[in-house]
Amino acid sequence: HSAMSESLLKEDSKSAERLLGFYLEAFGRDRVVIEIQRHGLEKEETLLEKLSLLAKHHRLPRVATNDVHYLHSADSETHQIAMDMRSRKLPTDPRRDRFLKPAYSLLTEEEWSNGFGKGYSDVFETAEAIAGRREASTGIKSAPEYSPR
C-alpha cells in the first residue's frame, strides 16, 4: 500500500492529510488523484471508504488501478509457485504471500467494472482522462492493444 493508505489503515488521518497537502503543493490540484483498488481483500473495503471520503472532502477525482501480477487468471498457480521459490517458502507455510485471486490478473473492462460495481463510474472516467492527457502530451499511446484469452 501507499504511505497514504498505510496512514488511513492506522487511523492516522493527520498524516494522511499532511501527505495529501504535500502532493497538492508539489504537483498541483489538477495533477492529484486518489487511487483506489479492489482485489477482494478485507482491508481494502475499509480503505476504499476512507479514500473515497478523502477525495470527496478535498473535491479530488478518484482513479481505479489494478495491481497486476500475471496476465491471465489461469496463471495464478504458476505465479504462486514462483513466489514460493523466490521467498524460499513451502506451499504449506501459512506466512507466505498469496496472489491467487483472479483480481491480480489483467482484467477485461467488464471484469474490472463489475469488480467495482455501481457508484464508481467516475474512477474509470478519471483513468481514461489520465491516459488521454498522457497520449496528448507525448504522442505515445498509453497502452498496447491487448485482448485477454
Side-chain angles (χ1 to χ4, degrees), residues 14-98:
K14 286 183 182 181
S15 290
E17 289 285 345
R18 236 183 348 266
L19 188 57
L20 181 56
F22 168 77
Y23 292 150
L24 289 168
E25 186 176 320
F27 300 108
R29 175 166 284 284
D30 63 328
R31 297 281 187 201
V32 175
V33 297
I34 302 295
E35 176 191 33
I36 61 172
Q37 296 185 345
R38 185 176 260 168
H39 296 100
L41 304 174
E42 189 175 315
K43 66 182 176 181
E44 278 180 331
E45 294 309 309
T46 300
L47 187 56
L48 186 63
E49 286 178 33
K50 291 178 184 221
L51 288 168
S52 292
L53 285 173
L54 191 66
K56 185 176 182 176
H57 177 69
H58 290 277
R59 294 187 311 267
L60 292 169
R62 302 177 300 176
V63 66
T65 63
N66 193 36
D67 191 4
V68 177
H69 287 257
Y70 36 86
L71 288 180
H72 310 285
S73 57
D75 298 334
S76 64
E77 192 63 43
T78 303
H79 178 73
Q80 187 62 57
I81 291 167
M83 294 277 296
D84 292 345
M85 290 171 59
R86 188 178 74 204
S87 65
R88 297 178 185 211
K89 292 199 170 125
L90 296 172
T92 55
D93 190 335
R95 297 169 298 159
R96 70 187 181 137
D97 291 329
R98 305 270 305 157

Side-chain angles (χ1 to χ4, degrees), residues 32-36 61-66 109 112 116 120-135 142-143:
V32 175
V33 297
I34 302 295
E35 176 191 33
I36 61 172
R62 302 177 300 176
V63 66
T65 63
N66 193 36
E109 185 177 344
W112 211 25
F116 274 94
Y120 290 95
S121 63
D122 63 302
V123 300
F124 303 109
E125 292 164 7
T126 304
E128 288 176 5
I130 292 169
R133 190 166 57 202
R134 179 182 179 271
E135 190 172 334
S142 295

